[in-house]
Amino acid sequence: MFLMKNVVKVRIYPTVEQKASLSKAFGCARWFWNNSLNATNELYKETVKG
């Protein structure tokens, strides 16, 4: 069975306040990702297990 997926491209134009809020949210997400990655790498170095 062939399934076709539709794609919609959307462009947003945030206000100054929305840009600041998005920047904070993405910054927190980036920090969490990097912190989790560091914890995983440190655990791997200590236990040598994947």
Side-chain angles (χ1 to χ4, degrees):
M1 179 176 202
F2 179 72
L3 297 175
M4 183 163 222
K5 295 185 180 186
N6 294 333
V7 176
V8 177
K9 290 186 179 183
V10 179
R11 176 94 185 202
I12 60 170
Y13 299 96
T15 63
V16 174
E17 294 84 14
Q18 290 171 333
K19 284 182 184 179
S21 182
L22 288 169
S23 179
K24 287 180 185 178
F26 292 142
C28 289
R30 186 177 61 244
W31 176 88
F32 183 80
W33 173 264
N34 287 334
N35 191 40
S36 299
L37 182 62
N38 184 48
T40 302
N41 288 339
E42 291 298 321
L43 181 65
Y44 180 78
K45 286 178 187 175
E46 293 172 4
T47 62
V48 192
K49 291 184 181 178

